[in-house]
């Protein structure tokens, strides 16, 4: 996202305006389209709920009619004269040939077959009496069951173990003997019972029948989740036999596809695009064109000097911009004159400061040591101190560079301390410790930072105390380079330490750098990427620590 904004920021004002207006109109179009789309969905769902309500009421009526027709068939069967006569003979035990089974098959079964042949809703009829039981199916199959079973059921609709739906009603032809009972089960064919609804079913809509306990009685589409109101419109209505009828429509049938929606709103899209083009043209003429003319006038100037003042073309904001530009040119001309004057003074001051940093007394003292060693015939010391002095001043000058490698800075410190140790052999010892994992040749740091700190440690620590050691340490810690100069010299009083930490400049008695000057140079060069710490205890020594973030090296 940041890269995208950066890319847009680099474009011309005209392109930015086109992107902005396009984004504005696109946002407006998306909001409006989303609102219209959601409203369309809501309207379609409302229509779906109305259709669902009407379909549920129609299905409720059809189902109740089908249920009533089955119940009436049962009443018609037990009221038939042939069946009534058979029951009378069966109760009086005066059946044909004194054989109830033969009497039943010759008188009742033909009646049942006739009823099944004329009523496709019925799949089979089962009749149970005390000592006989027959099941007659619509395929004219007769099954004889001789085992009498007690009947715990009452009038109503049930599912057997094979999930077959039947209407059950008991009969008691033996009114004087309550033990001898019977019943009739009318097994129905759901496809015929609910034929009027089955013909209108598809994969996205349908119905289910639940009994009073919520168990599924009939579910032609295997509608598993009867509470899935997120994906289906569901209408629940009661039936006369305490069943519940669930009619459902898939919400997918009442959703508008994005393609259809865009096709239906094609004119709206064309209108919004036209408005965007019109407004872009208006903004271009009113805003972009005058600014571009101003930019073209500014480009006509020579790149080697400040732009020329331009004529004010109008009194509006563009005219105010042109007037402000002319005032800015005038101020810049005055500022350039002042900068040139200040730079001349600054160069003069820097030259004077550099000359003072050469410290002639250090050179004179070193030359005196060379002369004394030469007179004493100490040729090796003369060679060493002469080499150290030459390298010292070569590194001091550094060809005018502000930044040098860490190796050169450490060599400068080494040559300085080597010269001082030759001068003060019994007073000074030094050590330079560098982490071997640090590539001192590739790291660039500010020139002449460590040497003045080491010089300060010698002059105000070791020399004052009379004897001691200076240790320069280069280490790394995570993403930080640590430069540390420590001595066990005289140290500084708490007052001086506080002044150095607070930024107060201390007067130098013998020239050189103050620690506060070094701190200021570091912070002005590295900003918040450097951390400087100074610790000192009187009589024990001082520690000056620089922590540089590796990102500035």
């Amino acid at each position: 996202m940041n890269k995208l904004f950066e890319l847009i920021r680099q474009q011309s004002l005209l392109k930015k305006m086109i992107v902005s207006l396009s984004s504005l109109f696109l946002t407006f179009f998306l909001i409006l389209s989303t609102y219209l789309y959601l409203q369309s969905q809501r309207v379609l769902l409302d229509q779906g709920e109305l259709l669902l309500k009407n379909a549920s009421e129609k299905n409720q009526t059809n189902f109740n009619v089908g249920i009533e027709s089955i119940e009436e068939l049962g009443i018609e069967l037990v009221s038939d004269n042939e069946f009534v006569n058979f029951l009378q003979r069966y109760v009086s035990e005066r059946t044909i040939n004194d054989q109830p089974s033969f009497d039943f098959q010759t008188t009742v079964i033909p009646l049942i077959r006739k009823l099944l042949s004329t009523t496709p809703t019925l799949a089979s009829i089962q009749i149970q009496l005390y000592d006989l039981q027959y099941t007659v199916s619509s395929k004219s199959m007769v099954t004889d069951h001789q085992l009498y079973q007690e009947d715990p059921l009452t009038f109503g609709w049930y599912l057997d173990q094979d999930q077959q739906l039947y209407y059950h009603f008991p009969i008691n032809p033996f009114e004087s003997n309550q033990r001898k009972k019977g019943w009739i089960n009318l097994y129905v064919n759901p496809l015929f019972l609910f034929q009027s609804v089955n013909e209108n079913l598809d994969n996205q809509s349908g119905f289910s029948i639940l009994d009073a306990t919520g168990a599924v009685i009939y579910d032609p589409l295997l509608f598993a989740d009867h509470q899935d109101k997120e994906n289906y419109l569901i209408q629940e209505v009661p039936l006369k036999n305490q069943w519940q009828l669930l009619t459902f429509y898939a919400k997918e049938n009442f959703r508008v596809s994005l393609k259809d929606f865009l096709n239906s709103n094609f004119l709206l899209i064309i209108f919004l695009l036209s408005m965007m083009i019109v407004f872009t043209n208006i903004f271009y003429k009113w805003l972009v064109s005058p600014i571009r003319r101003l930019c073209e006038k500014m480009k006509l100037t020579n790149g080697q000097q400040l732009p020329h003042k331009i004529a004010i073309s109008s009194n509006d904001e563009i005219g105010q911009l042109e007037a402000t530009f002319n005032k800015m040119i005038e101020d810049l001309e005055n500022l350039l004159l002042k900068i040139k004057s200040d730079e001349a003074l600054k160069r003069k001051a820097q030259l004077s400061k550099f000359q003072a940093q050469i410290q002639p007394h250090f050179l004179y003292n070193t030359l005196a040591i060379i002369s004394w060693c030469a007179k004493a015939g100490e040729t090796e010391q003369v060679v060493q101190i002469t080499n150290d002095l030459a390298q010292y001043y070569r590194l001091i000058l550094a060809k005018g560079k502000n930044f040098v490698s860490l190796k050169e800075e450490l060599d400068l410190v080494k040559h300085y301390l080597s010269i001082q140790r030759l001068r003060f052999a019994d007073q000074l010892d030094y050590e330079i410790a560098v982490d071997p994992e640090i590539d001192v040749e590739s790291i660039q740091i500010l020139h002449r930072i460590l040497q003045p700190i080491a010089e300060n440690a010698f002059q105000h620590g070791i020399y004052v105390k009379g004897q001691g050691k200076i240790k320069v340490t280069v280490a790394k810690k995570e993403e930080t380079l640590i430069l540390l100069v420590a001595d066990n010299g005289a140290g500084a009083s708490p007052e001086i330490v506080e002044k150095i930490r607070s930024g107060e400049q201390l007067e130098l008695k013998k020239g050189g750098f103050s620690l506060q000057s070094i701190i200021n140079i570091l912070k002005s060069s590295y900003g918040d990427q450097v951390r400087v710490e100074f610790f000192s205890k009187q009589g024990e020594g001082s520690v000056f620590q620089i922590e540089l973030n590796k990102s500035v090296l």
Side-chain angles (χ1 to χ4, degrees):
M1 185 61 71
N2 291 333
K3 292 183 179 180
L4 177 61
F5 287 150
E6 181 64 22
L7 178 62
I8 296 176
R9 191 179 68 84
Q10 300 297 332
Q11 302 305 313
S12 65
L13 184 61
L14 176 61
K15 292 181 179 179
K16 291 178 181 177
M17 185 191 67
I18 293 176
V19 170
S20 300
L21 289 177
S22 300
S23 301
L24 178 63
F25 277 96
L26 179 61
T27 303
F28 174 75
F29 173 72
L30 290 177
I31 294 175
L32 180 62
S33 300
T34 302
Y35 173 77
L36 294 177
Y37 181 75
L38 293 177
Q39 286 297 107
S40 301
Q41 295 286 60
R42 184 65 264 171
V43 170
L44 287 177
L45 287 177
D46 290 341
Q47 293 178 353
E49 290 177 352
L50 181 61
L51 291 175
L52 178 63
K53 181 180 179 181
N54 294 334
S56 297
E57 293 176 352
K58 182 178 180 180
N59 290 342
Q60 181 186 34
T61 301
N62 292 337
F63 289 163
N64 285 334
V65 170
I67 291 170
E68 290 175 354
S69 65
I70 297 299
E71 295 176 353
E72 290 174 355
L73 286 176
I75 297 174
E76 179 181 345
L77 175 61
V78 298
S79 302
D80 186 91
N81 292 330
E82 293 290 340
F83 187 73
V84 172
N85 293 334
F86 166 75
L87 289 179
Q88 290 176 351
R89 293 193 301 272
Y90 179 71
V91 170
S92 62
E93 299 181 354
R94 289 180 298 177
T95 56
I96 299 175
N97 297 330
D98 293 328
Q99 295 181 4
S101 176
F102 176 79
D103 192 355
F104 183 85
Q105 293 184 33
T106 56
T107 59
V108 178
I109 287 181
L111 175 64
I112 294 176
R113 286 177 174 172
K114 179 181 178 182
L115 185 62
L116 290 173
S117 64
T118 58
T119 311
T121 307
L122 290 176
S124 63
I125 298 177
Q126 183 183 82
I127 298 179
Q128 170 75 57
L129 295 176
Y130 178 71
D131 54 358
L132 59 84
Q133 178 178 341
Y134 284 92
T135 299
V136 183
S137 68
S138 58
K139 298 180 181 180
S140 299
M141 296 179 60
V142 179
T143 304
D144 185 8
H145 307 275
Q146 298 299 327
L147 180 62
Y148 174 75
Q149 300 175 357
E150 292 290 339
D151 176 26
L153 303 178
T154 59
F155 284 95
W157 290 85
Y158 300 94
L159 286 174
D160 64 10
Q161 295 179 351
D162 297 326
Q163 300 298 308
Q164 297 295 316
L165 180 65
Y166 65 94
Y167 176 65
H168 174 86
F169 58 94
I171 57 175
N172 185 12
F174 306 98
E175 296 181 359
S176 60
N177 188 347
Q178 294 298 322
R179 289 184 66 253
K180 294 183 178 182
K181 298 180 180 179
W183 65 84
I184 298 178
N185 292 334
L186 302 180
Y187 283 87
V188 300
N189 187 343
L191 293 178
F192 289 98
L193 178 62
F194 308 128
Q195 182 177 6
S196 60
V197 179
N198 283 328
E199 293 174 352
N200 299 322
L201 291 181
D202 55 38
N203 292 331
Q204 301 295 328
S205 62
F207 69 95
S208 298
I209 305 295
L210 308 181
D211 63 14
T213 64
V216 177
I217 295 177
Y218 183 66
D219 191 358
L221 294 181
L222 301 178
F223 181 43
D225 191 353
H226 299 90
Q227 299 298 326
D228 186 9
K229 295 185 178 180
E230 181 178 350
N231 297 312
Y232 291 91
L233 296 174
I234 302 175
Q235 182 76 29
E236 181 176 349
V237 294
L239 299 178
K240 63 176 296 182
N241 58 350
Q242 297 184 349
W243 288 353
Q244 296 292 324
L245 168 63
L246 297 183
T247 305
F248 59 89
Y249 284 166
K251 289 185 178 180
E252 188 67 27
N253 294 339
F254 303 96
R255 288 187 178 133
V256 181
S257 68
L258 183 60
K259 180 179 179 181
D260 294 339
F261 177 79
L262 293 177
N263 290 335
S264 61
N265 291 273
F266 178 75
L267 293 179
L268 175 62
I269 297 174
I270 297 299
F271 172 75
L272 290 176
L273 290 176
S274 302
M275 293 299 297
M276 184 187 73
I277 295 174
V278 171
F279 277 101
T280 300
N281 188 48
I282 292 174
F283 274 99
Y284 176 78
K285 291 182 178 179
W286 287 356
L287 179 63
V288 179
S289 182
I291 294 178
R292 294 189 69 178
R293 287 197 300 267
L294 177 60
C295 292
E296 292 298 327
K297 291 179 181 179
M298 295 172 63
K299 291 179 180 179
L300 294 176
T301 59
N302 188 347
Q304 301 297 324
Q305 59 184 3
L306 288 176
H308 297 294
K309 294 181 180 180
I310 59 177
I312 298 176
S313 59
S314 63
N315 294 324
D316 57 8
E317 286 78 2
I318 303 299
Q320 295 177 12
L321 181 62
E322 294 169 339
T324 302
F325 173 78
N326 290 338
K327 181 65 169 56
M328 180 188 68
I329 296 299
E330 183 179 347
D331 292 342
L332 285 176
E333 291 174 347
N334 296 331
L335 180 60
L336 284 178
L337 293 175
K338 185 176 183 303
I339 289 175
K340 291 180 180 179
S341 176
D342 291 344
E343 284 182 346
L345 295 175
K346 183 178 179 181
R347 284 194 298 269
K348 184 177 180 181
Q350 288 176 340
L351 180 60
S352 299
K353 184 176 181 181
F354 176 75
Q355 291 174 343
Q357 290 172 346
I358 294 298
Q359 301 181 15
H361 69 279
F362 174 73
L363 175 61
Y364 299 153
N365 292 336
T366 305
L367 292 175
I369 292 296
I370 295 174
S371 176
W372 182 84
C373 290
K375 291 178 180 180
E378 297 177 357
T379 307
E380 292 183 2
Q381 289 191 353
V382 170
V383 173
Q384 180 180 350
I385 195 170
T386 302
N387 180 65
D388 286 334
L389 184 63
Q391 293 297 327
Y392 173 77
Y393 279 106
R394 182 184 68 83
L395 294 171
I396 281 286
L397 296 175
K399 299 181 180 180
K401 295 187 293 185
N402 291 328
F403 287 84
V404 297
S405 69
L406 179 57
K407 182 181 183 305
E408 292 175 312
E409 189 69 11
L410 292 173
D411 288 343
L412 177 61
V413 175
K414 182 184 71 173
H415 292 305
Y416 170 78
L417 293 176
S418 177
I419 293 172
Q420 294 292 34
R421 184 166 62 179
L422 288 172
R423 291 180 59 197
F424 305 94
D426 298 331
Q427 297 181 22
L428 175 64
D429 189 15
Y430 74 90
E431 178 187 355
I432 298 177
V434 180
D435 187 337
E437 295 184 1
I438 298 177
D439 186 2
V440 294
E441 293 186 356
S442 64
I443 296 176
Q444 298 287 313
I445 66 170
L446 195 64
H447 177 47
R448 212 175 175 199
I449 288 298
L450 291 179
Q451 185 272 328
I453 300 173
E455 181 179 339
N456 190 286
F458 173 74
Q459 291 182 355
H460 300 283
I462 306 302
Y463 187 78
V464 173
K465 189 175 182 180
Q467 186 179 11
K469 180 179 179 180
I470 296 175
K471 183 176 182 180
V472 178
T473 304
V474 180
K476 65 178 181 178
K477 180 182 179 181
E478 296 178 353
E479 297 299 319
T480 303
L481 178 68
I482 299 176
L483 307 174
L484 187 143
V485 179
D487 69 83
N488 58 355
S493 65
E495 293 78 12
I496 294 179
V497 173
E498 183 60 32
K499 288 181 180 180
I500 292 175
R501 289 178 175 175
S502 64
E504 182 178 345
Q505 292 287 352
L506 300 178
E507 183 179 355
L508 299 177
K509 296 179 180 180
K510 296 184 180 181
F513 289 98
S514 69
L515 292 181
Q516 186 57 48
S517 297
I518 297 172
I519 294 173
N520 290 338
I521 291 173
L522 285 167
K523 290 187 176 179
S524 64
S525 299
Y526 292 111
D528 59 357
Q529 300 299 311
V530 65
R531 181 184 178 190
V532 182
E533 296 287 349
F534 176 69
F535 308 95
S536 185
K537 188 172 183 181
Q538 200 164 11
E540 296 184 6
S542 304
V543 176
F544 193 98
Q545 179 174 303
I546 303 172
E547 295 183 9
L548 284 172
N549 194 313
K550 287 187 177 181
S551 61
V552 298
L553 299 177

